[in-house]
């Protein structure tokens, strides 16, 4: 039961170096955009999660860069939930260009944290319910 969504974005000039290649540091933001979009498509607002006292800091992030992305490329970020979340939630990503070439493979592990105590907590039941409904 893997839930996958696709997020589209266009590479901006400011995200590239002098050769027009996307700087590797921008990929963390691309994955963040894709995760928030994944939650939104599931019907969960990240903003409302934070307002209810739940934060999702990144615990681990892994990238494998296969090909470069360039200024003005139209990227598709395929985001897949790896398994039902517990205290952590793990996403796998594939980033493709407009020619459907695989550019990057990545994964992120985030931990559910109580924003007041800064201690790990279990995944909220409403998120588990949405995942099971999908």
């Amino acid at each position: 039961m893997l839930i996958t969504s696709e997020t589209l974005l266009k590479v901006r000039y400011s995200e590239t170096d002098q050769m027009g290649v996307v700087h590797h540091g921008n990929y963390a933001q691309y994955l963040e955009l894709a995760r928030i979009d994944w939650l939104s498509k599931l019907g969960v607002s990240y903003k409302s999660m934070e307002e209810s006292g739940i934060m999702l800091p990144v615990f681990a992030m892994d990238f494998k860069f296969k090909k470069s992305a360039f200024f003005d490329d139209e990227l598709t970020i395929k985001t897949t939930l790896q398994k039902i979340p517990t205290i952590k939630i793990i996403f796998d990503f594939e980033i493709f260009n407009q020619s459907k070439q695989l550019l990057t493979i990545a994964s992120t592990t985030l931990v559910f944290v109580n924003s007041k105590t800064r201690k790990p907590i279990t995944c909220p039941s409403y998120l588990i319910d949405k995942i099971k409904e999908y």
Side-chain angles (χ1 to χ4, degrees), residues 4 12 14 28 38-39 43 48 55-56 60 83 86 90 99 106 113 130-133:
T4 299
R12 295 168 289 202
S14 63
W38 183 92
L39 283 168
S48 66
M55 298 183 336
L56 268 175
K83 61 184 178 180
T86 53
I90 303 170
S99 300
V113 171
K130 291 275 188 185
I131 291 167
K132 289 182 177 177
E133 286 172 14

Coordinates of all heavy atoms in Angstrom, one line a residue, residues 4 12 14 28 38-39 43 48 55-56 60 83 86 90 99 106 113 130-133:
T4 N 1.6 7.3 -3.8 CA 2.5 8.1 -4.6 C 1.8 9.3 -5.1 O 0.6 9.2 -5.5 CB 3.1 7.2 -5.7 OG1 3.8 6.1 -5.2 CG2 4.0 8.0 -6.6
R12 N 14.2 27.5 -11.4 CA 14.4 28.9 -11.5 C 15.9 29.2 -11.7 O 16.8 28.5 -11.2 CB 13.9 29.6 -10.2 CG 12.4 29.5 -10.1 CD 11.9 29.9 -8.8 NE 12.3 28.9 -7.8 CZ 11.8 28.7 -6.7 NH1 10.7 29.5 -6.3 NH2 12.2 27.8 -5.8
S14 N 17.8 31.3 -10.2 CA 18.5 31.5 -8.9 C 18.9 30.2 -8.3 O 19.7 30.2 -7.3 CB 17.6 32.3 -7.9 OG 16.5 31.6 -7.6
A28 N 17.0 19.7 -1.3 CA 16.3 19.6 0.0 C 15.0 20.3 -0.1 O 14.0 19.9 0.4 CB 17.2 20.0 1.1
W38 N 2.4 16.2 -1.2 CA 1.9 14.8 -0.9 C 0.9 14.8 0.2 O -0.2 14.3 0.1 CB 3.1 13.9 -0.5 CG 2.7 12.5 -0.3 CD1 2.8 11.5 -1.3 CD2 2.3 11.9 0.9 NE1 2.4 10.3 -0.7 CE2 2.1 10.5 0.6 CE3 2.1 12.3 2.2 CZ2 1.7 9.6 1.6 CZ3 1.6 11.4 3.1 CH2 1.4 10.1 2.8
L39 N 1.2 15.5 1.3 CA 0.2 15.6 2.4 C -1.1 16.3 2.0 O -2.2 15.9 2.3 CB 0.9 16.4 3.6 CG 1.9 15.6 4.5 CD1 2.6 16.6 5.4 CD2 1.2 14.5 5.3
G43 N -5.1 15.2 1.8 CA -6.1 16.0 2.6 C -5.7 16.4 3.9 O -6.5 16.7 4.8
S48 N -1.8 23.1 9.4 CA -2.7 22.8 10.6 C -2.0 21.8 11.5 O -2.3 21.8 12.7 CB -4.0 22.3 10.1 OG -3.9 21.0 9.4
M55 N 5.3 18.9 14.9 CA 6.4 19.3 13.9 C 6.9 18.0 13.3 O 6.9 17.0 13.9 CB 7.5 20.1 14.6 CG 7.0 21.4 15.2 SD 8.3 22.4 16.0 CE 9.6 21.3 16.4
L56 N 7.5 18.2 12.1 CA 8.1 17.1 11.4 C 9.6 17.4 11.0 O 9.8 17.6 9.8 CB 7.3 16.7 10.2 CG 6.2 15.7 10.3 CD1 5.4 15.5 9.0 CD2 6.8 14.3 10.7
A60 N 16.9 12.3 8.6 CA 17.9 11.8 7.6 C 17.4 12.1 6.2 O 16.2 12.2 5.9 CB 18.0 10.2 7.8
K83 N 6.2 3.3 4.0 CA 5.4 2.4 4.9 C 4.6 3.2 5.8 O 4.8 4.4 5.9 CB 6.3 1.4 5.6 CG 7.3 2.0 6.6 CD 8.2 1.0 7.3 CE 9.2 1.7 8.2 NZ 10.0 0.8 8.8
T86 N 5.1 5.6 12.0 CA 5.0 5.3 13.4 C 5.4 6.6 14.1 O 4.7 7.6 14.0 CB 5.9 4.1 13.8 OG1 7.3 4.4 13.3 CG2 5.5 2.8 13.2
I90 N 8.7 7.9 6.4 CA 9.8 7.8 5.4 C 9.2 7.9 4.0 O 8.3 7.3 3.6 CB 10.6 6.5 5.6 CG1 11.1 6.3 7.0 CG2 11.7 6.4 4.5 CD1 11.6 4.9 7.3
S99 N 12.0 15.4 -20.2 CA 12.2 14.3 -21.2 C 12.0 12.9 -20.5 O 12.4 11.9 -21.1 CB 13.6 14.4 -21.8 OG 13.8 15.6 -22.5
A106 N 16.1 9.9 -4.1 CA 16.3 10.4 -2.8 C 15.4 9.8 -1.8 O 14.4 9.1 -2.2 CB 16.1 12.0 -2.8
V113 N 7.2 15.2 16.2 CA 7.7 15.8 17.4 C 6.7 16.8 18.0 O 6.0 17.5 17.3 CB 9.0 16.6 17.1 CG1 9.5 17.4 18.3 CG2 10.1 15.7 16.7
K130 N -6.2 8.7 7.1 CA -6.2 9.1 5.7 C -5.4 8.2 4.9 O -5.8 7.9 3.7 CB -5.6 10.5 5.6 CG -6.4 11.6 6.3 CD -7.4 12.1 5.3 CE -8.1 13.3 5.8 NZ -9.2 13.7 4.9
I131 N -4.3 7.7 5.4 CA -3.4 6.7 4.6 C -4.2 5.5 4.4 O -4.2 4.9 3.3 CB -2.1 6.5 5.3 CG1 -1.3 7.8 5.3 CG2 -1.4 5.3 4.8 CD1 -0.1 7.8 6.2
K132 N -4.9 5.0 5.4 CA -5.6 3.7 5.2 C -6.8 3.8 4.3 O -7.2 2.9 3.7 CB -6.0 3.2 6.6 CG -4.9 2.7 7.4 CD -5.3 2.1 8.8 CE -4.1 1.5 9.5 NZ -4.4 1.1 10.8
E133 N -7.4 5.0 4.3 CA -8.6 5.3 3.4 C -8.2 5.3 1.9 O -9.0 5.1 1.1 CB -9.2 6.7 3.7 CG -10.0 6.7 5.0 CD -10.4 8.2 5.3 OE1 -10.3 9.1 4.5 OE2 -10.9 8.4 6.4

